[in-house]
């Protein structure tokens, strides 16, 4: 079995306007199943564009992107939507929860879209909520939770389809330091259970949870090294 989950080769992304803007240029790397990869870079470096392409929200202008052996250019939009819902989980800085719906209803949502049998949903949802320590909040409206609790609900929602890969986009950006550490600990535990974690962050302390660091600058891949090697050099993460 090929252990490469994500293969990116000579990836380029241009945005058309009065002037063509290049967001990514000649980016190449592989991510193996079960890796925890942190992606960093200054504002405008291309990390958000890269995340959108990796998570099937956008398509590259040129180059190759293969996910689990499937080339993105060979897939229809419906194919991409199916893979995205069944094989990818998402945790966003803004939580993206339905405020008036309960924790249970928010976590259940991906199962409804995936047409999981109703009689199977309850156990899956309850287990996901329990895994982030929010069983006692299960029937509380999401809008009444603290920021840290909302992010834990978002993680539970990302887990219900048991996706092989979880994309975390600045997951601690709206949280205080204590809540941020709790969220990162959950992601660390998910990685230990075999999930591939792809973290986009500007925060050094969260990036260091990864076992590998990819740094983008001006749309180019500036660095791709094991985190241990970087920390052993005592190099400041940027």
């Amino acid at each position: 079995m090929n252990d490469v989950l994500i293969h990116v080769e000579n990836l380029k992304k241009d945005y058309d306007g009065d002037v063509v803007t290049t967001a990514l240029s000649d980016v190449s790397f592989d991510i193996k199943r079960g890796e925890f990869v942190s992606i960093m870079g200054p504002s405008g470096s291309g990390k958000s564009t890269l995340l959108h392409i990796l998570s099937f929200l956008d398509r590259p202008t040129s180059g190759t992107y293969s996910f689990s052996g499937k080339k993105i250019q060979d897939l229809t939009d419906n194919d991409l939507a199916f893979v995205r819902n069944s094989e990818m989980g998402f945790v966003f800085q803004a939580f993206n929860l339905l405020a008036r719906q309960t924790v249970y209803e928010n976590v259940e949502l991906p199962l409804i879209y995936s047409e999981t049998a109703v009689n199977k949903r309850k156990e899956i949802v309850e287990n996901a909520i329990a895994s982030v320590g929010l069983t006692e909040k299960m029937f509380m409206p999401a809008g009444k939770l603290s920021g840290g609790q909302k992010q834990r609900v978002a993680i539970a929602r990302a887990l219900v389809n048991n996706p092989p890969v979880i994309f975390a986009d600045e997951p601690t950006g709206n949280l205080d330091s204590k809540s941020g550490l709790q969220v990162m600990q959950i992601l660390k535990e998910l990685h230990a259970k075999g999930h591939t974690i792809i973290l986009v962050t500007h925060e050094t302390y969260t990036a260091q949870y990864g076992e590998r660091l990819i740094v983008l600058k001006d749309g180019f891949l500036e660095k791709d090294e094991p985190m241990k090697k970087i920390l052993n050099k005592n190099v400041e993460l940027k």
Side-chain angles (χ1 to χ4, degrees):
M1 177 176 163
N2 188 346
D3 64 349
V4 173
L5 179 66
I6 286 172
H7 171 71
V8 169
E9 187 174 350
N10 304 130
L11 206 66
K12 184 179 183 183
K13 179 63 182 180
D14 293 332
Y15 290 104
D16 294 329
D18 294 336
V19 177
V20 174
T21 302
T22 299
L24 291 173
S25 298
D26 197 30
V27 173
S28 300
F29 58 82
D30 287 346
I31 294 176
K32 295 181 179 179
R33 298 176 192 277
E35 277 197 279
F36 191 146
V37 179
S38 298
I39 300 175
M40 298 187 76
S43 178
S45 63
K47 61 183 186 295
S48 294
T49 299
L50 178 61
L51 181 70
H52 287 164
I53 292 173
L54 295 182
S55 59
F56 291 176
L57 287 173
D58 203 353
R59 293 178 183 262
T61 303
S62 62
T64 300
Y65 170 33
S66 298
F67 179 87
S68 198
K70 304 182 186 84
K71 290 185 178 181
I72 188 172
Q73 58 261 44
D74 295 336
L75 301 176
T76 66
D77 288 346
N78 285 340
D79 292 335
L80 295 181
F82 177 81
V83 172
R84 192 168 185 269
N85 192 54
S86 61
E87 298 190 46
M88 299 176 177
F90 299 89
V91 183
F92 302 97
Q93 178 177 348
F95 318 130
N96 290 6
L97 301 179
L98 301 174
R100 295 183 181 180
Q101 304 301 107
T102 65
V103 168
Y104 185 99
E105 289 167 332
N106 272 279
V107 175
E108 183 186 30
L109 204 56
L111 296 178
I112 296 172
Y113 288 130
S114 69
E115 301 180 353
T116 300
V118 175
N119 62 347
K120 293 183 179 180
R121 290 181 199 164
K122 186 173 184 290
E123 181 181 3
I124 295 171
V125 173
E126 289 179 352
N127 286 343
I129 293 171
S131 74
V132 297
L134 288 176
T135 298
E136 76 283 0
K137 306 286 186 183
M138 192 178 302
F139 299 108
M140 180 180 287
K144 293 187 176 181
L145 301 176
S146 69
Q149 290 169 337
K150 288 176 182 177
Q151 196 58 292
R152 283 151 63 191
V153 174
I155 292 173
R157 180 185 57 192
L159 291 177
V160 289
N161 282 330
N162 194 30
V165 59
I166 295 174
F167 292 97
D169 186 8
E170 301 281 6
T172 61
N174 284 338
L175 305 180
D176 59 63
S177 57
K178 181 180 177 181
S179 297
L181 287 170
Q182 290 174 340
V183 165
M184 291 310 302
Q185 188 60 39
I186 293 172
L187 291 177
K188 181 180 178 181
E189 291 168 2
L190 292 174
H191 173 238
K193 292 177 181 178
H195 290 276
T196 306
I197 309 292
I198 299 175
L199 168 71
V200 171
T201 182
H202 68 278
E203 295 170 326
T204 300
Y205 87 94
T206 58
Q208 290 178 353
Y209 278 81
E211 56 191 358
R212 176 177 163 201
L213 178 67
I214 289 175
V215 178
L216 298 177
K217 184 176 181 181
D218 298 329
F220 291 91
L221 194 155
E222 184 180 57
K223 182 183 297 182
D224 182 358
E225 293 186 29
M227 189 66 73
K228 282 184 179 179
K229 182 178 179 180
I230 294 169
L231 295 178
N232 286 341
K233 291 179 182 176
N234 198 28
V235 176
E236 183 179 352
L237 301 186
K238 296 180 179 180

